[in-house]
Structures are given as C-alpha cells and as structure tokens.
Amino acid sequence: MFNVTHQVSAVQRRIGKRVLEAGEARVLTIGQTYDSTVDDVWDACTNLERIPRWLMPISGDLRLGGRYQLEGNAGGTIESCDPPKRFSATWEFGGEVSWIEVRLSATPDDRTRLELEHVAHVDDQRWAEFGPGAVGIGWDMMLLGLATHLESGRGIDPAESAAWSQSGDGKRFMALSSEQWCQASIEAGTDEAEARAAAARIHAMYTGATPDASAERPSGGE
C-alpha cells in the first residue's frame, strides 16, 4: 500500500487570482512528478478507455470542440489541445462553469511533470466558508488515482476505492490534503484563523469528522 504522507508531500499546491472578462477568479494549481514518460501520462489523461482506470467512467468526444461527461461529476467542452503538452476545457458542475488546464513537461531525469490549473469565480463568502479544500481535496485524490495507476498499470476498483475513502488511511489522506490546502491559502494571504476554520469545515464535510482543532491539525501516517 502507498505511503499516505509521502503522496501528500509529493504534490505541490498554489493559490492565486486572475482577472477574467466576468471579473476576478480564484486559481488553484496542483502538480506532481511521475516516473512515466510524457506520452504515457498524456495517454492516461486523454484516452477514453484508460481514464476510468484511475478517475471515473467518462463519455464523449475528447477532441478540440468536443464535449465530455464524467459519470456523476463534471462535464464540459475541450477548448484547446496541444498533444502531448497541454489541453484545456470547461469544467461544468452544479450549474456553474469553471475552467481547467492540464500541462505536461519532461524533467531532466526523464520523468513527467503534470500541473493542473483550475480557474473559478468564487465569491468571498463561499471562499471564507470552505476555502480551497472544497475542490482541492478532490484534485488531490485525482492525482493519487493517477499515481496509483501509473505505478501499478492496473485499474482502480470503484468498490475498493469507496471503501478506502472511509478507512483510516483514506480519512487521514483527506485530512492531510485539507491541511496542505489550508497552508497554501495562508501563504496566498488568507487570514490564518479564517483559513483554518474553513479547512476544518471542509474536512468535516469530506470525512464526517467534527470540525474542531483535531480536524485543523491532522497527524501523518501510512
């Protein structure tokens, strides 16, 4: 079994802002380096037959201008594609539209760096209530699934994945992810008390834990 602390520590997270035509937007960037070639990681991220092995079932037309739908989750339109370097798409969920961009690059040691940028209009009240962990924990779990798939070559069993998310390791993973997004929020200028309160609330939503100090400062483990 993978090391929970190692996986969370292997991921880099940043928070910023960007001005779009519709106004100011929040920008979450998450990245990890994998022991795979750029072509292999690109295929894992863009092949309709392979995506369900690490993410979730998907349908649609994965080409420029095509639409996709993740089962029970977001859908959208492919807005740009430059294989095997980058693609961007709308991320439409719950009646709201945001945008994602995935970028791949080779490292000097022949590994692959993946960065995902998620741009969304989030009002100040909702940001103060839940912070970046509201979507950040989900992206952390996505990178975990990809890491597991690239390392093992196998697919993820949905039942096993659901059971793991409710296990001690799964809850610890989400707690550590929540803490890391909290730190990224503080580094981006959010008041520390506000950031920790938001992290405690979103941690409780993901795990069913009581939103108290223990949720704000999770301990590591394997």
Side-chain angles (χ1 to χ4, degrees), residues 2-3 32 47 73 81 115 131 144 154 162 183 189 199 202 205 215:
F2 66 90
N3 183 305
Q32 184 171 357
N47 187 324
N73 205 287
C81 187
E115 279 199 341
L144 166 63
R154 299 192 302 272
Q183 291 295 337
I202 201 63
M205 287 185 63

Side-chain angles (χ1 to χ4, degrees), residues 5-87:
T5 306
H6 175 76
Q7 171 60 28
V8 174
S9 299
V11 173
Q12 294 75 47
R13 305 163 187 83
R14 300 191 307 273
I15 299 170
K17 294 182 179 180
R18 183 176 301 167
V19 177
L20 305 178
E21 290 185 7
E24 190 174 75
R26 312 275 182 177
V27 183
L28 277 70
T29 305
I30 185 169
Q32 184 171 357
T33 300
Y34 297 104
D35 291 321
S36 298
T37 66
V38 169
D39 286 340
D40 185 43
V41 178
W42 177 265
D43 185 68
C45 293
T46 60
N47 187 324
L48 276 172
E49 295 183 357
R50 199 168 172 190
I51 292 171
R53 300 178 193 172
W54 59 272
L55 187 57
M56 62 188 70
I58 185 173
S59 59
D61 185 10
L62 299 188
R63 62 179 176 178
L64 187 62
R67 287 194 60 83
Y68 72 92
Q69 179 63 55
L70 291 164
E71 186 175 295
N73 205 287
T77 300
I78 310 298
E79 294 194 323
S80 68
C81 187
D82 181 18
K85 298 178 181 179
R86 60 178 293 277
F87 67 85

Side-chain angles (χ1 to χ4, degrees), residues 6-213:
H6 175 76
Q7 171 60 28
V8 174
S9 299
V11 173
Q12 294 75 47
R13 305 163 187 83
R14 300 191 307 273
I15 299 170
K17 294 182 179 180
R18 183 176 301 167
V19 177
L20 305 178
E21 290 185 7
E24 190 174 75
R26 312 275 182 177
V27 183
L28 277 70
T29 305
I30 185 169
Q32 184 171 357
T33 300
Y34 297 104
D35 291 321
S36 298
T37 66
V38 169
D39 286 340
D40 185 43
V41 178
W42 177 265
D43 185 68
C45 293
T46 60
N47 187 324
L48 276 172
E49 295 183 357
R50 199 168 172 190
I51 292 171
R53 300 178 193 172
W54 59 272
L55 187 57
M56 62 188 70
I58 185 173
S59 59
D61 185 10
L62 299 188
R63 62 179 176 178
L64 187 62
R67 287 194 60 83
Y68 72 92
Q69 179 63 55
L70 291 164
E71 186 175 295
N73 205 287
T77 300
I78 310 298
E79 294 194 323
S80 68
C81 187
D82 181 18
K85 298 178 181 179
R86 60 178 293 277
F87 67 85
S88 64
T90 60
W91 186 260
E92 303 169 22
F93 183 74
E96 298 183 349
V97 179
S98 54
W99 300 266
I100 61 168
E101 179 173 291
V102 175
R103 299 183 291 265
L104 303 181
S105 59
T107 65
D109 57 355
D110 296 324
R111 304 169 75 203
T112 298
R113 173 73 179 171
L114 180 150
E115 279 199 341
L116 181 143
E117 187 177 84
H118 189 171
V119 181
H121 293 289
V122 182
D123 62 61
D124 291 342
Q125 180 178 352
R126 185 163 45 161
W127 181 264
E129 185 173 5
F130 297 118
V135 295
I137 294 174
W139 289 124
D140 257 304
M141 296 182 73
M142 180 273 289
L143 290 191
L144 166 63
L146 181 58
T148 303
H149 169 64
L150 291 172
E151 181 177 335
S152 68
R154 299 192 302 272
I156 296 174
D157 181 277
E160 291 181 3
S161 179
W164 178 83
S165 68
Q166 296 303 310
S167 70
D169 274 350
K171 291 182 177 182
R172 186 158 51 250
F173 177 86
M174 288 182 276
L176 288 168
S177 169
S178 178
E179 171 66 14
Q180 290 302 307
W181 282 111
C182 175
Q183 291 295 337
S185 186
I186 293 169
E187 291 171 7
T190 304
D191 174 78
E192 181 172 353
E194 179 182 301
R196 292 199 174 279
R201 284 189 287 269
I202 201 63
H203 168 260
M205 287 185 63
Y206 268 91
T207 66
T210 301
D212 57 16

